[in-house]
Amino acid sequence: MSVPFKYREIGDFHEYYSGVRKAPYLTIFVGGNHEASNYLWELYYGGWVAPNIYYLGAANVVRVGPLRIAGLSGIWKGYNYNKPHHERLPYSQDDLKSIYHVRALDVRKLLQIRTQVDVGISHDWPRGVEWMGNWKALFAQKDLFEADARAGKLGSSAAKYVMDHLRPPHWFSAHLHCKFAAVVKHGEVSQSAYRSGHEALGRAVNNGSSGVKNNDEIEIDLDDTEDVENPAPAHNEDEIDVNVDNGKPAKPLSTESNPGSSDRVSRIDEKAEAIPAEIRDQLSASLSPLVCLTTRQNSTAIPNTVTRFLALDKCLPNRKFLQILDIDPISQPQSTLSAPSSSPKLSYDKEWLAITRVSASELTVGEASSPIPTDRGRDYYAPKILIEEKWVSEHISDFTIPENFEITAPIFNPAVDHVGMKDQPREYTNPQTSAFCELVGIPNLFHASEEDRDERMRNAPRPPSGPGRGNWNMDRGRDG
């Protein structure tokens, strides 16, 4: 786990992993930059990290009852975007960070979706979304954000590209440790070649600089900064205030799906006009490599044009970390023979399974020097995906995601175990990933023989010698 030394402690996840406790509600999540990356690696395609807690994988589209949800894990670092997933245990100190950086291959899969989704989730904010809400209040609360926002460096270029393509009614993010709401209107743009657009995304690194890591760069870890105490931002009508700290009742949920949405969007447009011209000009320049990225091929299949963005704060006392929403699906229902259930269940998405089959041949793991295959464009992938959708329909009858969680690592015992600093954990083959690959008919690249793993452990990189940012948080089992 990449985490500052002063925050390193055993949490309570090991209790959920071992079965001592169980999440009371179905919980799904994407990975960020302070996760147990070695565990999430086992579940690259998604899976249960504990009973009732489901990880969406590096990228995924699933269904929860009638809702269709897309997810993208990781944070944006342009210098690693066009690299393969080369990190395998034991990790070097660079691996410990790069393993959670978003990769082009995973974004490419999400860009092949041709039909409407209801919800999008990313850890990083989509780049530029800060200007679509109350940016003055945001910068008053988080003054370090303004310089990056003005330079077009705040947030993820990949998440922006995916959001602009999928155009879900709702998009949720985290990472920046504050509550913020915005309304994004997706305007029609001229047709452009998909390949040139995606290549432009790969070049949109550090505001247009080359995709090479600057070793002199000082990375600001948001967990190392103190929160600035400032007055609360102005009320945004798309927010539902839920104060979990003082017991006050929440604002009642409307029975309408989007009451007065057109009026609210008009007001957002008026607020946008109030943005100083110099800021609008800087924003346009900083995002210029991305302007042509969104195409409108299949606009009738993805009809939504307004996304309501919401980010929440850290789960700590007196912080705005909880919001309750009613979401009415606008995606088309999936015709499957999933087993009936009294409560919403997780289901695989037919289109996503087809995309996974098509993209499986492009995935490489464990080889840093391996170039990623060239993106051949939607015109190339689309007919292949249609063929694979037919395969999926013929070979898979029940799309319900099985509740097949299994313990793969030794369970942490607080009475005996402790957090080690010298040794790295072993890599495990997760039975969920094996079952998924067998279901979809693709090779499981995340399996290795014990001999291969022993060899890699013998050649382990030397761990850092003292406390500091990015040190290992290692033990013999699952802690958290």
Side-chain angles (χ1 to χ4, degrees):
M1 178 183 292
S2 177
V3 62
F5 183 79
K6 64 180 179 179
Y7 293 116
R8 192 168 303 152
E9 64 180 14
I10 295 298
D12 59 6
F13 174 72
H14 65 90
E15 297 180 4
Y16 294 90
Y17 180 76
S18 66
V20 172
R21 301 170 68 181
K22 182 178 180 180
Y25 303 102
L26 172 63
T27 304
I28 65 174
F29 73 99
V30 295
N33 54 319
H34 297 309
E35 320 293 356
S37 298
N38 60 304
Y39 187 24
L40 299 188
W41 169 262
E42 297 176 15
L43 299 169
Y44 171 81
Y45 294 107
W48 304 99
V49 297
N52 228 23
I53 305 177
Y54 192 85
Y55 168 56
L56 286 176
N60 208 341
V61 177
V62 299
R63 292 176 181 260
V64 182
L67 289 177
R68 194 177 188 215
I69 301 176
L72 176 66
S73 290
I75 65 171
W76 171 261
K77 290 294 180 182
Y79 51 80
N80 281 325
Y81 181 70
N82 285 311
K83 293 181 180 178
H85 287 286
H86 60 83
E87 302 88 354
R88 300 282 305 250
L89 282 167
Y91 301 137
S92 68
Q93 192 151 354
D94 284 342
D95 292 343
L96 194 61
K97 291 184 175 296
S98 66
I99 191 171
Y100 55 73
H101 294 164
V102 175
R103 301 301 163 88
L105 283 173
D106 303 316
V107 172
R108 184 184 303 175
K109 292 166 65 177
L110 287 167
L111 297 177
Q112 308 313 316
I113 293 291
R114 306 181 308 281
T115 51
Q116 185 71 60
V117 302
D118 300 300
V119 175
I121 306 174
S122 63
H123 184 68
D124 235 346
W125 293 19
R127 182 161 294 183
V129 75
E130 67 274 13
W131 300 108
M132 309 303 169
N134 193 336
W135 50 272
K136 290 184 179 179
L138 175 66
F139 297 157
Q141 181 185 10
K142 298 281 191 177
D143 58 348
L144 295 177
F145 291 178
E146 185 169 3
D148 278 352
R150 285 176 177 267
K153 295 181 180 180
L154 186 67
S156 168
S157 298
K160 171 184 169 53
Y161 191 11
V162 173
M163 181 181 69
D164 285 348
H165 171 69
L166 297 180
R167 289 177 284 160
H170 297 272
W171 190 280
F172 303 116
S173 297
H175 192 50
L176 298 186
H177 303 165
C178 63
K179 184 176 183 180
F180 182 76
V183 175
V184 180
K185 288 188 67 177
H186 303 283
E188 295 292 330
V189 297
S190 60
Q191 294 288 334
S192 61
Y194 168 86
R195 183 180 301 174
S196 62
H198 201 196
E199 288 173 351
L201 175 63
R203 294 193 298 269
V205 177
N206 297 328
N207 197 25
S209 64
S210 66
V212 178
K213 180 178 180 180
N214 182 353
N215 291 324
D216 294 326
E217 176 186 6
I218 300 175
E219 295 187 8
I220 298 177
D221 191 312
L222 291 166
D223 284 334
D224 283 334
T225 62
E226 297 296 329
D227 292 317
V228 180
E229 296 297 334
N230 284 289
H235 178 65
N236 184 312
E237 293 187 29
D238 285 329
E239 293 188 54
I240 300 171
D241 292 327
V242 180
N243 193 327
V244 298
D245 299 309
N246 59 15
K248 293 181 180 180
K251 177 180 175 181
L253 295 175
S254 171
T255 56
E256 301 178 48
S257 59
N258 290 303
S261 60
S262 60
D263 293 338
R264 289 201 299 275
V265 171
S266 297
R267 287 194 289 274
I268 290 294
D269 288 341
E270 293 171 3
K271 292 178 182 177
E273 291 299 320
I275 298 176
E278 62 174 19
I279 294 180
R280 290 202 305 271
D281 292 342
Q282 291 177 26
L283 177 64
S284 299
S286 65
L287 296 180
S288 59
L290 303 178
V291 170
C292 68
L293 295 183
T294 306
T295 66
R296 288 295 174 260
Q297 308 166 354
N298 307 306
S299 60
T300 57
I302 305 181
N304 186 58
T305 59
V306 177
T307 297
R308 283 164 176 75
F309 172 81
L310 178 65
L312 295 175
D313 205 342
K314 297 180 72 173
C315 187
L316 292 172
N318 302 311
R319 305 282 281 265
K320 295 180 178 180
F321 62 83
L322 176 65
Q323 183 134 337
I324 301 172
L325 299 174
D326 272 344
I327 299 178
D328 292 326
I330 65 172
S331 61
Q332 291 298 312
Q334 181 168 257
S335 298
T336 68
L337 298 177
S338 298
S341 173
S342 59
S343 60
K345 294 289 185 179
L346 272 177
S347 299
Y348 295 120
D349 183 83
K350 183 183 297 185
E351 184 180 11
W352 183 256
L353 295 185
I355 291 170
T356 300
R357 281 181 54 81
V358 171
S359 63
S361 62
E362 298 186 342
L363 178 65
T364 59
V365 298
E367 295 294 337
S369 60
S370 298
I372 64 171
T374 301
D375 185 342
R376 303 186 185 186
R378 290 195 186 104
D379 290 342
Y380 172 84
Y381 294 115
K384 293 183 176 295
I385 293 170
L386 290 175
I387 293 173
E388 297 303 338
E389 278 194 48
K390 183 179 179 181
W391 184 96
V392 170
S393 297
E394 292 173 348
H395 291 80
I396 302 176
S397 58
D398 186 354
F399 286 76
T400 303
I401 295 178
E403 297 181 3
N404 56 349
F405 167 76
E406 291 187 35
I407 291 174
T408 54
I411 296 171
F412 177 79
N413 183 346
V416 177
D417 299 325
H418 66 280
V419 179
M421 291 288 293
K422 296 180 179 180
D423 297 327
Q424 297 202 43
R426 288 187 66 83
E427 180 181 279
Y428 300 95
T429 295
N430 198 296
Q432 295 180 71
T433 299
S434 300
F436 177 83
C437 292
E438 182 177 355
L439 174 73
V440 183
I442 59 175
N444 182 6
L445 302 185
F446 300 88
H447 170 73
S449 68
E450 291 305 311
E451 291 77 12
D452 288 341
R453 288 168 175 162
D454 288 341
E455 179 65 23
R456 285 207 307 272
M457 294 303 289
R458 284 194 292 270
N459 297 325
R462 184 177 181 179
S465 57
R469 293 190 56 223
N471 285 348
W472 285 296
N473 179 16
M474 302 301 177
D475 76 298
R476 60 187 292 272
R478 307 291 191 213
D479 47 78

